[in-house]
Amino acid sequence: MSNKLDRLERKIGYSFKDQELLVLALTHRSLGGRNNERFEFLGDSILNFVAADALFERFPQAREGQLSRLRARLVKGVTLAELAKGFELGEFLRLGSGELKSGGFRRESILADTTEAIIGAIYLDSGMETARERILFWLTDHIASLTLVDNNKDPKTRLQEYLQSRQCELPRYEVIESSGEAHCRTFKVECQVAPLGEPTFGAGSSRRCAEQEAAQKALIALGVEKLDE
């Protein structure tokens, strides 16, 4: 067991002084007896605080609602499960027979909860600063990818808010071509954005759709968003 735990410690980048804390952090309630739920509670609180503190420093102009939205993205179960998969955490979980048979070692909720439990265990083993360092290291790429632009909004709104936040002129849209029968028209739209030297273009079955595509291309050209692969 010790050799197996050593492998996990290398993956998470932390060696426990008291390895029993790690064992307990990996123990799901389905196994019976002592389990990781208390560690999970502790780790969740620490994770939320560290994430809030990091975002507060990274986005000094952000409003409370924006910070709350970003923190929710940073600490959500999907993000934690992604970290857990990177650690190959599933192979180290201590599960009851029922959870083993039902594939609990792959279940995102269990992986996310266990990640929080490990954070709690690190805190108990070495204190807040060590826990903070590990969390920030694990989330480096996720934090770097965050933006105040709300990706739940449509591209035109996101582009407008981005330009307004930098006190730039608002984008200008112009239909440069329309073709097809009345019931099946295609519109081509040009989007002029002051920080870009060249316009972006979009096409769609309505002017609105074409404008949205042009706005999305402008966001990509500005480096605000990445091209979907």
Side-chain angles (χ1 to χ4, degrees):
M1 182 66 174
S2 178
N3 288 339
K4 191 172 183 180
L5 292 179
D6 290 345
R7 280 200 298 121
L8 177 57
E9 287 178 336
R10 287 193 293 273
K11 290 177 182 295
I12 65 176
Y14 177 76
S15 295
F16 280 83
K17 295 187 286 286
D18 180 2
Q19 214 170 56
E20 286 303 312
L21 291 172
L22 178 56
V23 172
L24 190 53
L26 296 169
T27 305
H28 189 257
R29 65 177 179 272
S30 61
L31 197 63
R34 295 182 69 206
N35 58 65
N36 64 8
E37 288 186 329
R38 284 171 55 83
F39 284 14
E40 177 196 333
F41 166 79
L42 189 59
D44 174 69
S45 300
I46 294 166
L47 174 63
N48 273 275
F49 170 73
V50 170
D53 184 56
L55 294 170
F56 185 84
E57 292 296 324
R58 179 173 171 79
F59 298 102
Q61 305 303 320
R63 299 184 300 276
E64 186 241 352
Q66 291 174 305
L67 291 171
S68 295
R69 173 176 60 81
L70 291 175
R71 181 179 62 181
R73 288 177 58 188
L74 202 55
V75 305
K76 65 184 180 180
V78 173
T79 302
L80 297 178
E82 182 181 322
L83 290 177
K85 290 172 184 175
F87 302 147
E88 298 180 337
L89 198 55
E91 67 175 273
F92 301 98
L93 295 177
R94 303 179 72 228
L95 303 169
S97 59
E99 281 293 349
L100 279 172
K101 290 176 183 176
S102 64
F105 56 92
R106 291 190 300 266
R107 190 166 299 132
E108 288 197 344
S109 59
I110 291 178
L111 292 171
D113 290 347
T114 305
T115 302
E116 290 179 336
I118 290 174
I119 292 170
I122 292 173
Y123 167 77
L124 291 171
D125 197 55
S126 287
M128 186 65 185
E129 285 311 306
T130 301
R132 181 200 301 270
E133 185 276 330
R134 280 295 85 197
I135 291 168
L136 293 178
F137 181 80
W138 296 344
L139 294 176
T140 296
D141 291 341
H142 292 84
I143 294 173
S145 70
L146 291 175
T147 170
L148 292 179
V149 178
D150 187 351
N151 288 318
N152 289 322
K153 297 177 182 177
D154 63 70
K156 283 185 66 178
T157 303
R158 299 202 301 271
L159 178 59
Q160 179 173 315
E161 291 183 353
Y162 173 82
L163 294 171
Q164 285 176 327
S165 71
R166 284 155 179 77
Q167 299 181 325
C168 296
E169 292 181 20
L170 295 183
R172 297 191 305 275
Y173 300 93
E174 182 181 351
V175 176
I176 58 174
E177 184 182 319
S178 62
S179 58
E181 301 294 330
H183 66 282
C184 187
R185 295 187 68 76
T186 297
F187 294 83
K188 186 174 182 180
V189 166
E190 175 185 276
C191 175
Q192 293 278 357
V193 178
L196 294 176
E198 298 290 335
T200 58
F201 301 92
S205 58
S206 69
R207 176 173 179 165
R208 180 179 180 279
C209 288
E211 288 176 346
Q212 297 288 10
E213 182 177 300
Q216 181 68 65
K217 289 180 178 178
L219 287 165
I220 293 169
L222 288 164
V224 179
E225 298 179 9
K226 295 180 180 179
L227 180 65
D228 292 333
E229 296 180 355

